[in-house]
RNA sequence: GCCCGAGUGGCGGAAUGGUAGACGCAGCGGAUUCAAAAUCCGCCGGUAGCGAUACCGUGCGAGUUCGAGUCUCGCCUCGGGCACCA
């Protein structure tokens, strides 16, 4: 075979790896371990090119670390519970379990040909009863530990389908299937007490040094620690026995600019008022028709209802402020009531202008020139808290101070005068885990009229999902399944009812990484295995999980420690995190007779010099710039088809080569073709050298050896730094060097063996083929990673650019170890410098050894 | 709306505050071939110039610095997240 034929070599080497059990994770106390994990996939049924990129990144790391002598754990599983399976069952009548397991079988079959170094013996799906049994056990342990409780919370309720909707199932305030107006409804639901850990989860972020800064920032903002003032406005009358409205503010320094008090429609006072006031009831009802997402509340038009009540300003009992019910105030945050200071909050200003409320500045810029105050029609003035401002209506401390100082002074003043107290609050809310759906992990609790909520006995776990369910009626099938639902109380034996809510799928993914260390243990984890394999040394996944999944997992690791399922040092389970970008593709669009867009698959269009056209009709196609691949836009490429035509190595090489891993990569047919050609070239070079003897040892051989060591150093650095694209660029360069080298065949063969090793994390099949062609020993997959010899990396001389006033004007070749003084002398002799100086002296001469020279004249 | 990113040739991108455009794609020129495919060699940011070279150039506008793609501030555009999508 003188030509690379992936379909022949790829299955061959995959079989060889299987035979040698190369990827079986071995608990070997003698060796350091390395746990590399990619966020496990949802089994949608088809792998996506984004999966190929995600798993190839992990595979590069896994294979590299294995070559470096680590005992590697690189597992794979399925995030298998969730709504799509139920939606499919509703749409086509099957069972979610059948749909899910069929999809898993299909996706596994698509993933295997990629040649990933995964230990498939550890595979599981979160919908396996074996897995969720252990999750139920964790639930009971956490419940007993006081980490779980019940309270009322609002959900999106579809009054026609009689079901709870996810935020994504609400479109413009209506249910996606029924089209009915969605209501907010309160249900009693289960919660994890994640807010108890707010301070700790925030502080521990500092220790996550190998996490992207942006993810730590996003989590810190999400936890949202704030210091503020809590105090009460006294009500002028005492409606329904309410004598005060408790508010929390992070800007107590603006208290003299208050112009109204706002309360949430869900505030106890609002609820009391609506009992005797139909207008308020109507307004509150309307607010409750809004969705439950923060985004919706924030972007909705700010609306309020004047209750007619007034409160007294704490510093001036004659000053009365109106009380509004306002649609943008969350009952979940702070006290569910605020005071509005329109001059220093854009939202309050919008509200004040709408309802004709006063706008009073409490501070202005120190340099007020050109400043239009909000009360004169300008924008709300909201400077950074660190910025010094001039207090025009302050009441505490200096006139000119920073916002932070003003806030501290205001809190101190209010505490001294007994008006309120400084408090620390967090934005982080408790994690509601109840879902009113079938396809999730059952919550192992029974409701008994005498004993209350009773956990299922541990020996009865798992509480299995019943198989005999149908999705032809609205609502949760568990709710109407009498033999499953109606059970005796585990405590007293009296007739009782099972909890019919199931768990949020985020629970499933909050501990799967720990389960991989002992996937078939009779307990959630095996402490010996967890002790060896944890923590995850490198976690890889999408930035879209930056907050929720990662925060929940961090909480779960702590909760699992408290319940004895993980060692204390596993509280931060992910040592290093890498967030990869998406794979994008351009979109091909035509228009139908009604001028509506019609999308076309990449394989159905043809690119010619004069444009892009449909293959079958020849119609001109409009090309829309690359976007995230989506089925609806048809801008998808099927990895299975790519692997069939080019092989897995080409797909792997391309997704690693064209963009930095953290950024999006655009899939292009030309790029895939180029990757394929390059791999063919590497193969050809190796093939021609297959009978080469030993290196002859001339000057050219020595030069090639230096280039080899340079390549080892550069490629290794790229892999270590997650810059796979630059590693690949170096490999292109190294290929060119070998192809052009005049070194002996033996020396070139030697270089190509190193090439095989350096390419093996990215293109493992080709690497094995080249390695075996050139008589490498054993499998590349089991060979030790090459080491660069520092002595071969140093250069004799360097070319220094000479800048004059920061602009490049010449070059200077000097010995690599030339000292500063020697360089300075040479620089001053350089013709361009002599000319620029024109006989004078340089103002400044900057020599950065080995880098650059700058002459200031 | 709020929080977090990203923006560099025709395209994907490279560049510890130190020669902007490595490497690849596309394009152009050449070799090989009866011809093509494949392969190999060379050129390839813009403007002006035969050329040496000069000027401009990293989304826009300021600033710090001997020196800014890189740091700071203010904008613009695009993307991610916003607690029941996973």
């Amino acid at each position: 075979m003188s030509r690379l034929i992936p379909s022949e070599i790829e299955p061959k080497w995959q079989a060889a790896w299987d035979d040698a059990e190369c990827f079986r994770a071995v608990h070997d106390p003698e060796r350091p371990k390395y746990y590399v994990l990619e966020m496990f996939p949802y089994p949608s049924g088809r792998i996506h090119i984004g999966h190929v990129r995600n798993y190839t990144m992990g595979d590069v790391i896994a294979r590299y670390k294995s070559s470096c002598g680590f005992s590697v754990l690189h597992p794979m599983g399925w995030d298998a519970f969730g709504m799509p399976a139920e939606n499919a069952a509703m749409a086509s009548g099957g069972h979610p379990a059948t749909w899910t397991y069929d999809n898993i079988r299909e996706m596994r079959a698509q993933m295997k040909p990629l040649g990933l170094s995964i230990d498939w013996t550890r595979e599981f799906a979160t919908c396996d009863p074996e897995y969720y049994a252990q999750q139920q056990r964790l639930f009971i342990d956490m419940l007993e530990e006081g980490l779980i409780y019940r309270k009322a919370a609002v959900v999106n309720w579809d009054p026609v389908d009689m079901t709870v909707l996810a935020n994504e199932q609400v479109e413009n305030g209506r249910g996606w299937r029924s089209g009915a107006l969605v209501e907010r409804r309160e249900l009693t639901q289960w919660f994890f007490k994640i807010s108890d850990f707010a301070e700790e989860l925030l502080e521990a972020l500092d220790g996550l040094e190998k996490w992207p800064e942006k993810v730590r920032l996003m989590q810190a903002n999400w936890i949202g620690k704030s210091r503020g003032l809590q105090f009460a406005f006294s009500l002028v009358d005492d409606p329904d026995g309410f004598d005060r409205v408790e508010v929390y503010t992070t800007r107590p320094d603006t208290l003299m600019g208050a112009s109204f008090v706002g309360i949430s429609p869900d505030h106890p006072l609002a609820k009391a008022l609506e009992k005797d006031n139909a207008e308020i009831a109507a307004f509150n009802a309307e607010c409750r028709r809004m969705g439950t997402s923060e985004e919706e509340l924030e972007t909705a038009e700010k609306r309020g209802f004047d209750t007619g009540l007034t409160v007294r300003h704490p510093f001036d009992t004659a000053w009365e402020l109106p009380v509004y019910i306002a649609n943008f105030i969350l009952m979940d945050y702070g006290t569910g009531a605020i005071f509005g200071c329109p001059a220093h909050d854009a939202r309050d200003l919008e509200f004040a202008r709408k309802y004709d409320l006063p706008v009073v500045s409490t501070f202005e810029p120190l340099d007020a020139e050109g400043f239009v105050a909000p009360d004169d029609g300008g924008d709300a003035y909201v400077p950074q808290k660190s910025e010094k401002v001039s207090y025009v209506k302050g009441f505490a401390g200096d006139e000119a101070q920073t916002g932070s100082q003003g806030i501290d002074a205001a809190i101190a003043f209010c505490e001294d005068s007994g008006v309120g107290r400084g408090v620390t609050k967090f934005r982080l809310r408790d994690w509601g885990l109840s879902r009113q759906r079938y396809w999730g992990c059952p919550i192992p609790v029974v409701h008994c009229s005498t004993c209350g909520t009773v956990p299922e006995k541990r020996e009865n776990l798992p509480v299995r999902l019943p198989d005999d369910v149908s999705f032809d009626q609205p609502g949760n099938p568990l709710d109407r399944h009498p033999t499953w639902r109606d059970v005796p109380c585990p405590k007293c034996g009296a007739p009782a009812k099972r909890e019919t809510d199931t768990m949020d799928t985020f629970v499933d993914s909050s501990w799967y990484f720990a389960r991989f260390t002992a996937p078939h243990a009779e307990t959630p984890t095996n402490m010996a295995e967890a002790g060896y394999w944890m923590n995850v040394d490198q976690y890889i996944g999408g930035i879209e999980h930056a907050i929720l999944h990662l925060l929940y997992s961090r909480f779960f690791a702590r909760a699992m420690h408290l319940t004895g399922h993980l060692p204390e040092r596993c509280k931060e389970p992910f040592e290093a995190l890498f967030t990869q970008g998406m794979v994008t593709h351009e979109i091909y669009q035509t228009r139908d007779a009604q001028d509506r867009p019609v999308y076309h698959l990449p394989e159905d269009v043809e690119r010619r010099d004069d444009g892009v056209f449909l293959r079958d009709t020849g119609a001109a196609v409009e090309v829309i710039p690359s976007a995230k691949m989506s089925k609806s836009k048809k801008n998808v490429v099927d990895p299975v088809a790519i692997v069939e035509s080019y092989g897995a190595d080409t797909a792997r090489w391309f997704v690693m080569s064209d963009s930095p891993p953290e950024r999006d990569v655009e899939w292009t047919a030309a790029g895939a073709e180029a990757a394929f050609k390059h791999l063919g070239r590497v193969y050809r070079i190796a093939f021609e050298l297959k009978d080469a003897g030993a290196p002859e040892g001339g000057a050219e051989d020595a030069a090639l050896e230096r280039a080899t060591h340079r390549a080892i150093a550069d490629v290794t650095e790229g892999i270590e730094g997650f810059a796979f694209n630059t590693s690949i660029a170096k490999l292109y360069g190294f290929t060119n060097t070998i192809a052009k080298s005049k070194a002996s065949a033996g020396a070139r063969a030697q270089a190509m063996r190193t090439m095989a090793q350096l390419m093996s994390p990215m293109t493992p099949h080709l690497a094995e083929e080249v390695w075996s062609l050139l008589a490498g020993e054993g499998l590349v997959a089991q060979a030790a990673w090459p080491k660069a010899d520092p002595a071969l990396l140093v250069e004799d001389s360097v070319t220094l650019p000479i800048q004059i006033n920061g602009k490049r004007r010449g070059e200077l070749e000097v010995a690599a170890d030339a000292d500063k003084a020697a360089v300075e002398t040479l620089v001053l002799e350089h013709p361009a410098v002599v000319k620029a100086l024109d006989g004078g002296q340089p103002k400044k001469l900057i020599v950065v050894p080995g880098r650059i020279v700058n002459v200031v004249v």
Side-chain angles (χ1 to χ4, degrees), chain A residues 216-404:
Chain A
R216 291 191 282 167
L217 239 177
M218 285 162 85
Q219 292 218 350
N221 287 335
W222 187 260
I223 293 167
K225 183 177 182 176
S226 66
R227 171 137 178 98
L229 178 74
Q230 187 158 333
F231 67 102
F233 286 103
S234 59
L235 280 152
V236 172
D237 306 309
D238 292 356
D240 296 305
F242 288 87
D243 61 348
R244 47 202 268 135
V245 178
E246 194 82 20
V247 301
Y248 172 73
T249 177
T250 57
R251 290 309 297 253
D253 57 324
T254 66
L255 193 44
M256 297 308 286
S259 70
F260 65 95
V261 166
I263 61 174
S264 165
D266 297 316
H267 192 278
L269 177 58
K271 286 182 172 175
L273 291 172
E274 73 183 19
K275 288 200 191 98
D276 326 302
N277 185 324
E279 272 186 275
I280 290 180
F283 179 81
N284 287 350
E286 175 136 16
C287 291
R288 285 180 198 128
R289 269 201 286 277
M290 277 206 300
T292 55
S293 75
E294 189 174 318
E295 182 187 2
E296 209 171 327
L297 290 179
E298 290 280 340
T299 51
E301 189 194 353
K302 310 294 174 279
R303 296 178 56 220
F305 188 92
D306 187 350
T307 60
L309 300 174
T310 55
V311 295
R312 292 185 192 92
H313 194 280
F315 295 159
D316 178 0
T317 49
W319 180 0
E320 293 187 8
L321 302 167
V323 177
Y324 280 77
I325 299 170
N327 65 349
F328 58 89
I329 299 170
L330 291 163
M331 194 56 221
D332 289 330
Y333 185 62
T335 60
I338 57 137
F339 75 78
C341 177
H344 306 297
D345 183 288
R347 200 167 51 178
D348 292 348
L349 184 62
E350 184 188 336
F351 192 83
R353 292 209 166 128
K354 184 162 183 171
Y355 296 103
D356 207 18
L357 297 162
V359 177
V360 181
S361 285
T362 56
F363 50 75
E364 289 174 354
L366 268 186
D367 174 16
E369 204 175 319
F371 172 68
V372 183
D375 37 337
D376 290 332
D379 291 335
Y381 176 53
V382 192
Q384 303 272 313
K385 282 182 190 165
S386 55
E387 194 176 310
K388 232 179 188 184
V389 295
S390 166
Y391 279 85
V392 293
K393 279 198 92 162
F395 56 90
D398 300 334
E399 197 173 284
Q401 54 185 333
T402 66
S404 302

Side-chain angles (χ1 to χ4, degrees), chain A residues 428-446:
Chain A
L428 181 67
R429 309 202 294 257
D430 278 335
W431 168 16
L433 70 116
S434 297
R435 296 293 180 271
Q436 295 71 34
R437 292 184 228 293
Y438 167 80
W439 193 233
C441 173
I443 294 173
V445 163
V446 173

Side-chain angles (χ1 to χ4, degrees), chain A residues 10-133:
Chain A
E10 293 186 351
K12 177 177 78 180
W13 292 114
Q14 284 166 19
W17 298 327
D18 280 350
D19 288 346
E21 293 193 343
C22 289
F23 312 133
R24 176 73 69 89
V26 182
H27 180 153
D28 177 357
E30 300 300 307
R31 277 196 294 163
K33 66 87 191 181
Y34 197 89
Y35 184 2
V36 55
L37 182 67
E38 301 97 55
M39 291 178 184
F40 65 165
Y42 180 80
S44 61
R46 300 292 294 176
I47 65 165
H48 180 277
I49 201 77
H51 292 126
V52 176
R53 191 175 189 217
N54 186 204
Y55 305 136
T56 301
M57 284 178 198
D59 203 43
V60 169
I61 299 294
R63 287 175 178 271
Y64 167 71
K65 287 292 177 182
S66 172
S67 294
C68 292
F70 290 89
S71 184
V72 169
L73 171 58
H74 184 208
M76 182 58 66
W78 310 95
D79 189 11
F81 275 133
M83 291 200 306
E86 258 179 82
N87 292 338
M90 283 180 231
S92 51
H95 192 283
T98 317
W99 185 87
T100 303
Y101 282 106
D102 284 352
N103 282 351
I104 289 173
R105 196 175 320 109
E106 180 67 22
M107 281 180 80
R108 190 193 303 115
Q110 294 173 13
M111 276 169 72
K112 290 256 175 135
L114 294 173
L116 301 168
S117 64
I118 286 168
D119 179 355
W120 286 100
T121 66
R122 290 173 186 255
E123 176 191 2
F124 61 77
T126 55
C127 63
D128 294 341
E130 192 191 8
Y131 181 79
Y132 72 70

